């Protein structure tokens, strides 16, 4: 095992500052998107559809984001994405009609796809392999902190500016994120050659630059094995955000109690990202990926048996713990398995899988709930958790983190 000579603090401001601010930016507007849509004349169903446009924007931009990161480099991609997000915020602020506002929400999703891919690709290159999980877990944790802080900053601004305050916070935070990203140093080890390709330790990349199609073809086995596992992680994570307030309403809790329980679950989620990264670096990725899914699956299976605030709180804390220990696991696995050259293309496909899970999980919940009951929908999500644990246990590479041998999956 390599000695821990790498100091994460040396890149903390440049690597994590933009992500924290970007999290504040997106977190600030999440609670008010539906309210703004309603103010512009949307009915409840249309307002709900507007909320999904951010996810759709991210989904359709994941593959194009690889072209941006490859062509311009991670630093410029980060700056461009943050500026695009700021433009979306100010467009939403000035939107005179519902279609214009919908376009702004879609733009936020587009920016998120580019920003997320670029920051993951940058850290993967900048951090030694034996420190990778800690670095990416911290990235996930810092982003969650930003998303958690965002609504509070927006609430403060809205006390004097109304709903517009949330978009002013989002726009300002995005602009500062762009400024910090501009100061991030370019990575010499992954710099572009004169022809626009990357250079590696043993010489320049061949003229034939990897494409999304070639990476998908050469790494099909990874995408249909570990990739299915991360899709299931994303599905369970996305669904857990919906089931807590839905079940709280089902058992008759008021809005303030629901918000408190949801907030405490989120607080647990944010507190344990670094220790889980340490375990992944020292013991291996399966030591976190599998317990993460088992704990969330178990908590979701128990949720329909709760009938009061105390029971719901205990289950919500368990869900938060399970999700929290898995901070950065999807990014870490993607970084481990991504080739160089070809990393941005691989990570774009990786994010496409996770975004598919983000949309598919809640869709499954809605479908099963409509056909049966909310309890059945929650149990269906729990099954996804247990299935994900099995897939990840079997397919996650066995190579020790930081070892010289390439990561390989089970035959």
């Amino acid at each position: 095992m390599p000695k821990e000579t790498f100091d994460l603090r040396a890149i903390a401001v440049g690597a994590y500052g933009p992500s924290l601010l970007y999290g504040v930016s997106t977190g600030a507007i999440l609670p008010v998107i539906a309210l703004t849509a309603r103010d512009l004349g949307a009915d409840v169903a249309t307002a709900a559809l507007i909320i999904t446009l951010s996810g759709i924007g991210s989904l359709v931009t994941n593959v194009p984001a690889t072209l941006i990161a490859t062509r311009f480099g991670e630093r410029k991609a980060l700056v461009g994405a943050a500026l695009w997000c700021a433009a979306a915020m100010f467009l939403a602020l000035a939107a005179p009609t519902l279609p214009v506002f919908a376009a702004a929400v879609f733009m936020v999703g587009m920016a998120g796809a580019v920003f997320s891919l670029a920051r993951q690709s940058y850290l993967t290159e900048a951090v030694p392999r034996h420190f990778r999980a800690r670095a990416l877990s911290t990235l996930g944790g810092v982003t969650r902190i930003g998303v958690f802080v965002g609504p509070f900053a927006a609430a403060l601004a809205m006390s004097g500016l109304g709903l517009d305050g949330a978009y002013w916070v989002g726009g300002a935070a995005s602009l500062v994120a762009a400024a910090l990203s501009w100061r991030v140093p370019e990575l010499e080890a992954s710099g572009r050659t004169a022809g626009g390709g990357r250079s590696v330790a043993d010489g320049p990349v061949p003229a034939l630059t990897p494409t999304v199609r070639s990476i998908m073809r050469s790494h099909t086995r990874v995408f249909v094995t570990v990739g299915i596992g991360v899709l299931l992680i994303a599905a369970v994570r996305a669904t857990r955000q919906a089931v807590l307030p839905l079940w709280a309403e089902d058992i008759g809790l008021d809005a303030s109690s629901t918000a408190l329980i949801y907030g405490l679950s989120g607080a647990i989620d944010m507190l344990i990202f670094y220790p889980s990264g340490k375990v992944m670096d020292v013991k291996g990725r399966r030591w976190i990926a599998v317990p993460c899914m088992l704990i969330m699956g178990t908590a979701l299976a128990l949720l329909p048996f709760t009938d009061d605030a105390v029971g719901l709180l205990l289950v919500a804390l368990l869900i938060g713990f399970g999700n929290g220990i898995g901070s950065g696991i999807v990014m870490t696995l993607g970084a481990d398995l991504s080739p160089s050259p070809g990393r941005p293309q691989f990570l774009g496909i990786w994010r496409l899988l996770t975004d598919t899970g983000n949309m598919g999980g809640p869709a499954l919940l809605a479908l099963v709930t409509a056909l049966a009951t909310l309890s059945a929908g929650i149990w269906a999500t729990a099954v996804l958790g247990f299935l994900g644990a099995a897939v990840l246990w079997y397919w996650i590479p066995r190579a020790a983190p930081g070892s010289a041998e390439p990561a390989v999956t089970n035959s």
Side-chain angles (χ1 to χ4, degrees):
M1 187 74 176
K3 293 183 179 180
E4 294 186 18
T5 56
F6 178 74
D7 186 0
L8 195 60
R9 292 172 295 183
I11 64 167
V13 174
Y16 299 123
S19 295
L20 176 66
L21 288 163
Y22 198 88
V24 171
S25 175
T26 54
I29 66 168
L30 284 176
V32 301
I33 291 176
L35 298 178
T36 303
R38 292 283 284 159
D39 281 354
L40 290 171
D43 56 26
V44 174
T46 303
L49 178 62
I50 295 294
I51 294 174
T52 68
L53 288 177
S54 177
I56 295 172
S58 176
L59 184 69
V60 301
T61 311
N62 280 319
V63 173
T66 68
L67 304 178
I68 295 172
T70 302
R71 175 66 180 83
F72 299 103
E74 287 83 0
R75 181 173 70 93
K76 290 180 181 178
L78 286 169
V79 173
L83 290 176
W84 186 257
C85 185
M89 296 292 178
F90 294 127
L91 179 62
L93 185 65
T97 62
L98 189 61
V100 175
F101 178 70
V105 175
F106 187 84
M107 287 171 61
V108 171
M110 295 172 65
V114 178
F115 192 90
S116 298
L117 182 139
R119 69 183 180 179
Q120 181 183 359
S121 183
Y122 182 89
L123 266 183
T124 300
E125 297 281 2
V127 176
R129 183 176 173 83
H130 70 275
F131 216 97
R132 180 179 287 164
R134 274 164 285 186
L136 292 174
S137 292
T138 301
L139 176 62
V142 165
T143 304
R144 293 178 189 187
I145 291 171
V147 173
F148 183 80
V149 170
F152 294 100
L156 183 62
M158 286 190 294
S159 64
L161 299 173
L163 288 180
D164 287 353
Y167 300 99
W168 280 111
V169 169
S174 295
L175 289 175
V176 179
L180 279 180
S181 297
W182 184 253
R183 300 183 63 184
V184 171
E186 292 284 8
L187 294 171
E188 295 297 331
S190 61
R192 274 73 183 165
T193 63
R198 292 177 181 271
S199 61
V200 291
D202 56 354
V205 177
L208 187 58
T209 303
T211 64
V212 170
R213 181 177 296 179
S214 67
I215 291 295
M216 185 176 293
R217 186 166 52 244
S218 62
H219 290 74
T220 298
R221 182 177 180 81
V222 172
F223 294 131
V224 300
T225 55
V226 185
I228 297 301
V230 301
L231 185 151
L232 292 171
I233 292 176
V236 173
R237 282 176 164 174
T239 309
R240 92 189 193 285
Q241 298 178 344
V243 297
L244 286 177
L246 287 173
W247 189 253
E249 181 184 38
D250 196 70
I251 62 176
L253 297 187
D254 57 39
S256 60
S257 298
T258 301
L260 178 61
I261 291 171
Y262 193 92
L264 289 173
S265 177
I268 292 291
D269 194 331
M270 292 187 302
L271 292 176
I272 51 179
F273 57 84
Y274 190 84
S276 67
K278 175 77 171 181
V279 171
M280 280 192 279
D281 276 332
V282 174
K283 294 288 189 179
R285 310 327 190 197
R286 283 195 302 166
W287 284 73
I288 289 298
V290 175
C292 164
M293 294 298 277
L294 287 177
I295 291 171
M296 285 199 290
T298 300
L300 288 167
L302 293 174
L303 182 60
F305 295 106
T306 63
D307 58 6
D308 57 20
V310 174
L312 180 59
L313 174 61
L314 293 175
V315 169
L317 292 177
L318 188 60
I319 291 175
F321 178 78
N323 189 57
I325 65 172
S327 176
I329 183 61
V330 171
M331 290 189 290
T332 300
L333 290 171
D336 287 344
L337 297 168
S338 59
S340 183
R343 179 162 286 125
Q345 292 86 348
F346 181 97
L347 294 180
I349 300 169
W350 202 249
R351 280 191 49 79
L352 186 64
L353 287 170
T354 58
D355 278 354
T356 301
N358 286 334
M359 300 188 71
L364 176 65
L365 174 70
L367 176 63
V368 177
T369 299
L371 295 176
T373 63
L374 177 58
S375 296
I378 296 172
W379 281 326
T381 306
V383 170
L384 293 184
F386 296 132
L387 179 61
V391 170
L392 292 166
W393 178 84
Y394 188 78
W395 289 112
I396 283 182
R398 275 27 172 195
S403 66
E405 69 176 285
V408 293
T409 54
N410 274 340
S411 299

